[in-house]
Amino acid sequence: METVGIVGLGYVGLPLAVEFGKIIPTIGFDIDRKRIDELKRGIERTEEVTAEELSKASKLEYTFDSKDLEKVTRFIITVPTPVDEYKKPDLRPLISASKTVGGALKKGDIVIYESTVYPGCTEEICVPVLEGTSGLKFNEDFFCGYSPERINPGDKVHRLPNIKKITSGSTIETAERVDELYKLIIKAGTHRAPSLKVAEAAKVIENSQRDINIAFVNELALIFERIGIDTHEVLEAASTKWNFLAFKPGLVGGHCIGVDPYYLTHKAEGLGYRPEVILSGRRINDNMGIHIANRVIKLMARQELTIKGGKILVLGLTFKENCPDIRNSKVVDLINELSSFGAVVDVYDPHADPAEVKHEYGIDLAQQLRHPYDAIVLAVSHNEFNNLPWDKLKTLKTILFDVKGFLDKSIITARL
């Protein structure tokens, strides 16, 4: 029987490890010893897997010792693929994971990548690392697959088993084996792509398309603000047409939508092509935090509210609602811009881990809310924010800006 090894036990890797661990021998590997210790004790802080689901994975063992991977025959690499400060792909986690796997690689093994990359990255970057570390020959001694992750953090409806899976392999036989492996856990079925590059490209354009669509409505919001009409009312009216795509304006962060387009543009520029639409969309979305902050400050000035030393509450720091994921949160841009005006900014988020936020962004999350505030910005639409004591948090002059179009229009000052 094959043994599956999941390398990286985050939002993507852990659900995979748990599903495989229900039916076949599975090793979950992560370099974070604290993470391994927590999982062994049934603690799962990404909120993607329940304690009950963890307990059902009876064939799953957790480890931070790379020697334990020597038992694995089917490796699945699910490490993050971020961008650096210059918006260039940061492949260091991917290369490091490939070296770790290469050290345990044996003849006949298959290495499958799920991390988002640009088309060609598996064969151009990862395979040479695997060959160099293992001393084995690609497509003779070992083989590769690519099956892009489609995890949607915080989504309790679209989960791993019921999301259709793209699969691919470096040879026809490998593609069949990779496809059969995933069919063990994917109830929604699979789509076998004809090559690794096609599978890689499919993943990167899924999020690039969404990024561009959101950039379009963000630009509409900038225009409609100047016209003096409500963007959400315009979108509601337009949505009465059967084929209108009802995207909403907002902050675009996270580990996928705000990052993946840069992988595609990096590859395109390396081939001598300058992408216009994709990069234009990225510029619009990357600047929305600053725009929102400036709009809030202008509204405060009109109300003759104190700006320097004024008290502003930002509700939500995670990159999306009802999940603890703070990676690449664009709310931070909003907070930094508000702070640059001299305002005293409290940040409250019941889902984010305070220690992680402090380590990642240097921000101390508020444990209790001071009241009232001069301005309140709802940046993330956590369900808990429906039940806040608005009568205590705000006065008649308080600016309440709703980034997400989440609150009842009767209680807000403005929305994006």
Side-chain angles (χ1 to χ4, degrees), residues 68 118 260 266:
D68 292 330
Y118 53 79
D260 294 358
H266 169 79

Side-chain angles (χ1 to χ4, degrees), residues 207-250:
N207 288 321
S208 297
Q209 181 187 64
R210 185 168 175 80
D211 189 45
I212 291 168
N213 281 327
I214 297 173
F216 173 61
V217 294
N218 273 339
E219 189 164 54
L220 292 180
L222 300 177
I223 296 169
F224 294 153
E225 177 195 341
R226 287 162 173 78
I227 295 173
I229 56 178
D230 188 301
T231 303
H232 291 268
E233 291 178 349
V234 175
L235 294 174
E236 183 181 1
S239 294
T240 60
K241 188 167 187 276
W242 69 91
N243 61 351
F244 182 80
L245 301 177
F247 286 87
K248 292 185 177 181

Side-chain angles (χ1 to χ4, degrees), residues 6-49:
I6 311 297
V7 179
L9 296 176
Y11 287 84
V12 176
L14 184 63
L16 273 171
V18 168
E19 291 301 321
F20 279 118
K22 293 176 183 178
I23 53 177
I24 60 176
T26 305
I27 295 174
F29 172 85
D30 200 289
I31 59 173
D32 185 345
R33 296 191 179 198
K34 180 182 176 183
R35 174 74 165 157
I36 294 300
D37 181 60
E38 288 178 344
L39 289 172
K40 285 181 176 180
R41 292 186 286 122
I43 300 172
E44 206 294 271
R45 49 190 157 90
T46 68
E47 300 178 11
E48 290 303 305
V49 178

Side-chain angles (χ1 to χ4, degrees), residues 169-187:
S170 55
T171 66
I172 294 175
E173 295 79 10
T174 304
E176 291 175 355
R177 290 173 183 166
V178 171
D179 198 62
E180 288 301 316
L181 179 66
Y182 280 106
K183 280 180 177 177
L184 294 175
I185 62 169
I186 304 298
K187 298 176 183 177

Side-chain angles (χ1 to χ4, degrees), residues 296 300 310-316 331 334-335 338 343-349 365-379 385 388-390 392-394 398-401:
V296 170
M300 291 176 68
K311 294 180 292 183
I312 300 178
L313 171 63
V314 174
L315 294 170
V331 181
L334 165 66
I335 295 166
L338 290 172
V344 178
V345 183
D346 282 356
V347 184
Y348 177 69
D349 193 315
L365 289 181
Q367 299 305 305
Q368 58 183 8
L369 301 179
R370 298 183 294 182
H371 44 73
Y373 287 89
D374 297 301
I376 302 172
V377 184
L378 186 137
F385 296 157
L388 290 176
W390 297 110
K392 294 181 180 179
L393 293 175
K394 62 192 289 290
T398 298
I399 301 301
L400 177 50
F401 191 93

